[in-house]
Every structure is written in structure tokens, then in C-alpha cells.
Amino acid sequence: MKITAKAWAKTNLHLGVGPLRGDGFHDLLTVFQTIDLFDTVTLETIEGEMVEEGSVVKRLSVTGPRGVPEDATNLAWRAVDALVARRAEQTPLPAVTLHIEKGIPVAGGMAGGSADAAAALRAVDAWIGPFGRETLLEVAAELGSDVPFCLLGGTMRGTGRGELLVDMLNRGKYHWVVAVFAKGLSTPTVFRKHDQLDWPPNFEIEELSEALLEGDYISVGAALHNDLQISALSLRPELRTVLTDGVRAGAFTGIVSGSGPTLVFICENATEARDVADALIDGGQVLAAHVASGPASRSARTRGAHILSIED
Ligand code: C5P
């Protein structure tokens, strides 16, 4: 059996970061939105090889940028193990291989690893499920703060450490330029920097909520906010000039995506976004600049991580 699942990148239209909690995480008030860059995860059973105990995953391979682990530390691998462990009866299962095709920047603040975990959960659910929404969301939250959102997608408000999700009304489709850098940033490092800087949290999303209802890119652009931006910029001062360059090239505004270093610029339309992306590439400071739109999908079936194909 061969199952391929797809999951979108996310950005945070708002990211408010509260104080550090006892469990090492921060309380957040965030607004997530999918952007139509994506990864796919393919789970394929190995004929004639059954697994009595231990991980069913025998190999993991990755196509795309370097820096993605190809062992049991990969979040997609851990996702398969975590969901397989939730079966009512622990009977032997066929061994499987995993293959990830990356379209989402690595260590970029766009939930690439979390998207892979979400896609892997969908694949296992199609293979030996259904496990039900509750279990999928529970396992997703154990795997990482952004995994539940990657599973559900769309435009959602996240609280807790980001895993408590409520749908938000959004009327618009937004055109983005996603500026990617050669060197990623570690999320814990950015949060640590944030603690050092002791920046007060911004938990105000009223303006953004109204802007999303209106669906107008200028109002949404004006309401974008990221509490981690100051920390990401202090770790990577060179991002500041790229932010300015994007606006100078015609973007309405730009912001650090999540914990960075990826920058996302909101533009009037796809043509404008293409011009901004070309200008950033010409500037020579970015590894790549993609044109993308968000939310990635509005259809109930494809708005979050979803199955692309199943072959027997
Ligand atoms: O949940 P996830 O594994 O994606 O988080 C990665 C790291 O980001 C955590 O270990 C923590 O350092 C930081 N984090 C945080 N508060 C959150 C989410 C993530 O401090 N709400």
C-alpha cells in the first residue's frame, strides 16, 4: 500500500508571546493561516516484512533542501510511531518507509516539520484508522505546538502553547512573497532571546479579526504583528534590510514568519508579488523568494493536511 498526504506551510498573522511557563513553553495568542507552499509525505508498506515490536518505520528519505533528519528524530517518523501506539490492539503491522518531499523552508518559522508530522498522521489514519478527530488532535499536540493547526488548516486563533484552536472568519485571499534564507533559526533560541529581551506580550487581535472579516489586504497588512520579530531581528540583523527592500519593491508590508528567519510580505496581487520576489532575488540576500497565497485552501477536505492518493 502506498499513501501520499500533503500539508501546507503556515504563517502567523499575529503572534503574541506571554511569559515562560513551568513546562518550558510560552502562553501564546496567535492567528495562524495556511500559505500554499507544501510538503508531501508518502508512507509505503514493505511487502512481506512484519513488525512485532518497535517502530514500523524502517527508512525515511527526503527530497529537497538539506538539514532535514532522515532518522527516528524526524517529526514525521515520530508521528507514525505515536499514532500506531494508539491502536486498540497491538497486532503486528507491515514495516513501512517514509518519503518526504519538501516545498516548505526548513527551520524557517513556517511549520515545515509540523506539516510533515500532520501529513504523516493523515497517512497513518488512512492506512490503519480511522482514529477519530479527538485522538488525531491529541497526538498532534503531543508532537508539537503547531501540529494541530497543520492538521486542521485555514485561519485559526491558537492559544495555550498554540494547540488550542478556534476557527476565525476570513473573507479574503492574500498574496504573499515568502523570502527564504540559507541559514535557519532554531525556535527555542528565538524564544530564549525573547525571554532575555523581556518584551511585553501583545494579546490584542481585535483589529486583525475585523480586517480578516473585511478581507482587505491593506487592513490585514496593517494589523500583522509578531512579538518574536524583535528577537529574530536581533539574532539576524541582516533581515532588516530585506524587510525594507521588500516594501521598497512594492509590498504593502513585511513581517518575520513565526520564529523566523523566513520573511513574508503581503502584496496587492500575484503580479505585484512576483515583482517583489524578483527584486528580492536580484538583491542577492535571499536564498529564494516564492509567490504564495493564503489561506491555502478553503475546501473542508483540503484546508489542512489531507490525503492526495492511496494505491493498493
Ligand atoms: O512545540 P514545539 O516542539 O514546536 O516547540 C519547539 C520549541 O519552541 C519549544 O521547545 C520551546 O522552546 C519553544 N516554544 C515555546 N512556547 C510555545 C511553543 C514553542 O517556548 N508556545
Side-chain angles (χ1 to χ4, degrees), residues 71-105:
D71 57 21
T73 63
N74 188 297
L75 207 54
W77 186 313
R78 287 169 45 203
V80 173
D81 288 343
L83 196 53
V84 162
R86 292 294 188 110
R87 283 179 308 151
E89 284 182 43
Q90 295 296 312
T91 47
L93 278 175
V96 303
T97 60
L98 290 177
H99 181 72
I100 302 175
E101 288 205 21
K102 300 251 13 131
I104 306 176

Short mmCIF file of all heavy atoms in Angstrom, two decimals, residues 71-105:
data_model
loop_
_atom_site.label_atom_id
_atom_site.label_comp_id
_atom_site.label_asym_id
_atom_site.label_seq_id
_atom_site.Cartn_x
_atom_site.Cartn_y
_atom_site.Cartn_z
N ASP A 71 16.22 10.17 10.17
CA ASP A 71 16.17 9.08 11.15
C ASP A 71 14.96 9.25 12.07
O ASP A 71 14.08 10.07 11.80
CB ASP A 71 17.48 9.04 11.97
CG ASP A 71 17.74 10.38 12.66
OD1 ASP A 71 16.77 11.15 12.84
OD2 ASP A 71 18.90 10.65 13.02
N ALA A 72 14.96 8.49 13.17
CA ALA A 72 13.79 8.46 14.06
C ALA A 72 13.56 9.78 14.79
O ALA A 72 12.54 9.94 15.47
CB ALA A 72 13.94 7.32 15.07
N THR A 73 14.48 10.75 14.66
CA THR A 73 14.24 12.06 15.28
C THR A 73 13.32 12.92 14.40
O THR A 73 12.81 13.92 14.86
CB THR A 73 15.56 12.83 15.52
OG1 THR A 73 16.17 13.09 14.24
CG2 THR A 73 16.51 12.04 16.41
N ASN A 74 13.16 12.53 13.14
CA ASN A 74 12.27 13.30 12.25
C ASN A 74 10.84 13.25 12.82
O ASN A 74 10.34 12.19 13.19
CB ASN A 74 12.31 12.70 10.84
CG ASN A 74 11.57 13.57 9.86
OD1 ASN A 74 10.37 13.76 9.97
ND2 ASN A 74 12.30 14.12 8.89
N LEU A 75 10.20 14.41 12.86
CA LEU A 75 8.86 14.51 13.48
C LEU A 75 7.83 13.64 12.76
O LEU A 75 6.88 13.15 13.38
CB LEU A 75 8.43 15.98 13.51
CG LEU A 75 7.44 16.39 14.60
CD1 LEU A 75 7.92 16.01 15.99
CD2 LEU A 75 7.18 17.90 14.54
N ALA A 76 8.00 13.42 11.46
CA ALA A 76 7.06 12.57 10.71
C ALA A 76 7.19 11.11 11.17
O ALA A 76 6.19 10.39 11.34
CB ALA A 76 7.32 12.68 9.21
N TRP A 77 8.42 10.69 11.38
CA TRP A 77 8.68 9.32 11.89
C TRP A 77 8.03 9.18 13.27
O TRP A 77 7.32 8.21 13.56
CB TRP A 77 10.20 9.13 11.98
CG TRP A 77 10.69 7.76 12.34
CD1 TRP A 77 10.23 6.97 13.36
CD2 TRP A 77 11.74 7.01 11.71
NE1 TRP A 77 10.92 5.80 13.41
CE2 TRP A 77 11.86 5.80 12.41
CE3 TRP A 77 12.61 7.27 10.64
CZ2 TRP A 77 12.82 4.83 12.07
CZ3 TRP A 77 13.56 6.30 10.30
CH2 TRP A 77 13.66 5.09 11.00
N ARG A 78 8.27 10.19 14.14
CA ARG A 78 7.71 10.13 15.49
C ARG A 78 6.18 10.15 15.45
O ARG A 78 5.51 9.53 16.28
CB ARG A 78 8.24 11.29 16.34
CG ARG A 78 9.72 11.04 16.71
CD ARG A 78 10.39 12.27 17.31
NE ARG A 78 9.54 12.92 18.29
CZ ARG A 78 9.67 14.20 18.64
NH1 ARG A 78 10.60 14.95 18.10
NH2 ARG A 78 8.88 14.72 19.54
N ALA A 79 5.63 10.85 14.47
CA ALA A 79 4.17 10.92 14.33
C ALA A 79 3.60 9.53 14.01
O ALA A 79 2.59 9.12 14.57
CB ALA A 79 3.79 11.91 13.24
N VAL A 80 4.28 8.81 13.11
CA VAL A 80 3.82 7.46 12.75
C VAL A 80 3.83 6.58 14.00
O VAL A 80 2.83 5.93 14.33
CB VAL A 80 4.70 6.85 11.63
CG1 VAL A 80 4.33 5.39 11.39
CG2 VAL A 80 4.57 7.67 10.34
N ASP A 81 4.95 6.58 14.73
CA ASP A 81 5.05 5.76 15.94
C ASP A 81 3.97 6.12 16.96
O ASP A 81 3.35 5.24 17.57
CB ASP A 81 6.43 5.91 16.59
CG ASP A 81 7.52 5.22 15.78
OD1 ASP A 81 7.18 4.37 14.92
OD2 ASP A 81 8.72 5.53 15.99
N ALA A 82 3.76 7.42 17.14
CA ALA A 82 2.81 7.88 18.17
C ALA A 82 1.39 7.44 17.85
O ALA A 82 0.64 7.02 18.73
CB ALA A 82 2.89 9.40 18.30
N LEU A 83 1.01 7.50 16.57
CA LEU A 83 -0.37 7.12 16.22
C LEU A 83 -0.54 5.60 16.19
O LEU A 83 -1.57 5.08 16.64
CB LEU A 83 -0.79 7.77 14.89
CG LEU A 83 -2.29 7.77 14.62
CD1 LEU A 83 -3.09 8.39 15.77
CD2 LEU A 83 -2.62 8.51 13.32
N VAL A 84 0.49 4.90 15.72
CA VAL A 84 0.45 3.43 15.72
C VAL A 84 0.28 2.92 17.16
O VAL A 84 -0.45 1.96 17.42
CB VAL A 84 1.73 2.86 15.05
CG1 VAL A 84 1.94 1.40 15.42
CG2 VAL A 84 1.66 3.02 13.53
N ALA A 85 0.91 3.61 18.12
CA ALA A 85 0.83 3.21 19.53
C ALA A 85 -0.58 3.39 20.10
O ALA A 85 -0.91 2.83 21.14
CB ALA A 85 1.83 4.02 20.36
N ARG A 86 -1.43 4.17 19.42
CA ARG A 86 -2.79 4.41 19.90
C ARG A 86 -3.78 3.35 19.44
O ARG A 86 -4.97 3.43 19.72
CB ARG A 86 -3.29 5.77 19.42
CG ARG A 86 -2.59 6.95 20.03
CD ARG A 86 -2.90 7.02 21.51
NE ARG A 86 -2.40 8.24 22.10
CZ ARG A 86 -3.18 9.24 22.52
NH1 ARG A 86 -4.48 9.15 22.42
NH2 ARG A 86 -2.64 10.30 23.06
N ARG A 87 -3.32 2.32 18.69
CA ARG A 87 -4.26 1.29 18.24
C ARG A 87 -4.81 0.51 19.43
O ARG A 87 -4.10 0.30 20.41
CB ARG A 87 -3.55 0.28 17.32
CG ARG A 87 -3.32 0.79 15.92
CD ARG A 87 -2.59 -0.25 15.11
NE ARG A 87 -1.40 -0.69 15.83
CZ ARG A 87 -0.85 -1.90 15.72
NH1 ARG A 87 -1.39 -2.80 14.93
NH2 ARG A 87 0.23 -2.21 16.40
N ALA A 88 -6.06 0.10 19.33
CA ALA A 88 -6.68 -0.65 20.42
C ALA A 88 -5.94 -1.98 20.62
O ALA A 88 -5.67 -2.39 21.74
CB ALA A 88 -8.14 -0.89 20.10
N GLU A 89 -5.59 -2.65 19.51
CA GLU A 89 -4.91 -3.94 19.62
C GLU A 89 -3.55 -3.85 18.97
O GLU A 89 -3.43 -3.46 17.81
CB GLU A 89 -5.73 -5.03 18.91
CG GLU A 89 -6.93 -5.44 19.72
CD GLU A 89 -7.70 -6.53 19.03
OE1 GLU A 89 -7.06 -7.47 18.50
OE2 GLU A 89 -8.94 -6.43 19.00
N GLN A 90 -2.53 -4.24 19.71
CA GLN A 90 -1.16 -4.11 19.21
C GLN A 90 -0.74 -5.37 18.43
O GLN A 90 0.22 -6.05 18.78
CB GLN A 90 -0.19 -3.82 20.37
CG GLN A 90 -0.44 -2.47 21.04
CD GLN A 90 -0.20 -1.28 20.10
OE1 GLN A 90 0.81 -1.21 19.44
NE2 GLN A 90 -1.15 -0.36 20.04
N THR A 91 -1.48 -5.65 17.36
CA THR A 91 -1.13 -6.78 16.50
C THR A 91 0.01 -6.36 15.55
O THR A 91 0.17 -5.16 15.32
CB THR A 91 -2.35 -7.20 15.65
OG1 THR A 91 -2.90 -6.01 15.10
CG2 THR A 91 -3.39 -7.91 16.49
N PRO A 92 0.79 -7.34 15.01
CA PRO A 92 1.88 -6.97 14.11
C PRO A 92 1.37 -6.20 12.89
O PRO A 92 0.26 -6.43 12.41
CB PRO A 92 2.47 -8.31 13.68
CG PRO A 92 2.05 -9.27 14.74
CD PRO A 92 0.73 -8.80 15.25
N LEU A 93 2.21 -5.29 12.41
CA LEU A 93 1.87 -4.47 11.24
C LEU A 93 2.98 -4.61 10.21
O LEU A 93 4.13 -4.86 10.59
CB LEU A 93 1.77 -3.00 11.62
CG LEU A 93 0.49 -2.47 12.25
CD1 LEU A 93 0.68 -1.02 12.64
CD2 LEU A 93 -0.69 -2.61 11.28
N PRO A 94 2.69 -4.38 8.93
CA PRO A 94 3.77 -4.36 7.95
C PRO A 94 4.75 -3.22 8.26
O PRO A 94 4.33 -2.17 8.77
CB PRO A 94 3.05 -4.08 6.63
CG PRO A 94 1.62 -4.31 6.88
CD PRO A 94 1.38 -4.15 8.34
N ALA A 95 6.02 -3.43 7.95
CA ALA A 95 7.00 -2.34 8.05
C ALA A 95 6.70 -1.32 6.97
O ALA A 95 6.08 -1.65 5.95
CB ALA A 95 8.40 -2.92 7.87
N VAL A 96 7.12 -0.07 7.20
CA VAL A 96 6.86 0.97 6.20
C VAL A 96 8.10 1.82 5.95
O VAL A 96 9.01 1.88 6.78
CB VAL A 96 5.69 1.91 6.61
CG1 VAL A 96 4.42 1.14 6.88
CG2 VAL A 96 6.06 2.77 7.82
N THR A 97 8.11 2.46 4.79
CA THR A 97 9.10 3.51 4.54
C THR A 97 8.36 4.84 4.46
O THR A 97 7.17 4.87 4.14
CB THR A 97 9.83 3.29 3.20
OG1 THR A 97 8.85 3.31 2.16
CG2 THR A 97 10.57 1.97 3.17
N LEU A 98 9.08 5.92 4.75
CA LEU A 98 8.51 7.25 4.62
C LEU A 98 9.36 8.04 3.65
O LEU A 98 10.59 7.95 3.68
CB LEU A 98 8.52 7.99 5.97
CG LEU A 98 7.58 7.49 7.06
CD1 LEU A 98 7.79 8.32 8.34
CD2 LEU A 98 6.12 7.58 6.61
N HIS A 99 8.69 8.82 2.80
CA HIS A 99 9.43 9.72 1.94
C HIS A 99 8.80 11.11 2.02
O HIS A 99 7.58 11.26 1.87
CB HIS A 99 9.44 9.23 0.49
CG HIS A 99 10.22 10.17 -0.38
ND1 HIS A 99 11.59 10.26 -0.30
CD2 HIS A 99 9.82 11.09 -1.28
CE1 HIS A 99 12.00 11.19 -1.14
NE2 HIS A 99 10.95 11.73 -1.74
N ILE A 100 9.64 12.10 2.27
CA ILE A 100 9.15 13.48 2.39
C ILE A 100 9.67 14.31 1.23
O ILE A 100 10.87 14.29 0.94
CB ILE A 100 9.64 14.11 3.72
CG1 ILE A 100 9.17 13.27 4.92
CG2 ILE A 100 9.16 15.55 3.85
CD1 ILE A 100 9.71 13.73 6.26
N GLU A 101 8.77 14.99 0.56
CA GLU A 101 9.19 15.98 -0.46
C GLU A 101 8.94 17.36 0.09
O GLU A 101 7.80 17.72 0.42
CB GLU A 101 8.40 15.77 -1.76
CG GLU A 101 8.86 14.52 -2.45
CD GLU A 101 8.61 14.53 -3.95
OE1 GLU A 101 8.44 15.61 -4.54
OE2 GLU A 101 8.59 13.43 -4.51
N LYS A 102 10.03 18.11 0.26
CA LYS A 102 9.93 19.40 0.93
C LYS A 102 9.74 20.55 -0.04
O LYS A 102 10.51 20.73 -0.96
CB LYS A 102 11.21 19.68 1.75
CG LYS A 102 11.52 18.69 2.81
CD LYS A 102 11.36 19.10 4.24
CE LYS A 102 10.67 20.32 4.65
NZ LYS A 102 9.66 20.05 5.71
N GLY A 103 8.67 21.31 0.21
CA GLY A 103 8.48 22.57 -0.50
C GLY A 103 8.47 23.71 0.50
O GLY A 103 8.50 24.88 0.13
N ILE A 104 8.41 23.37 1.78
CA ILE A 104 8.35 24.36 2.86
C ILE A 104 9.78 24.60 3.36
O ILE A 104 10.53 23.64 3.56
CB ILE A 104 7.46 23.86 4.03
CG1 ILE A 104 6.07 23.47 3.53
CG2 ILE A 104 7.37 24.92 5.13
CD1 ILE A 104 5.14 22.87 4.59
N PRO A 105 10.16 25.88 3.54
CA PRO A 105 11.52 26.15 4.03
C PRO A 105 11.81 25.41 5.35
O PRO A 105 10.92 25.26 6.17
CB PRO A 105 11.51 27.67 4.28
CG PRO A 105 10.37 28.22 3.50
CD PRO A 105 9.38 27.12 3.30
#
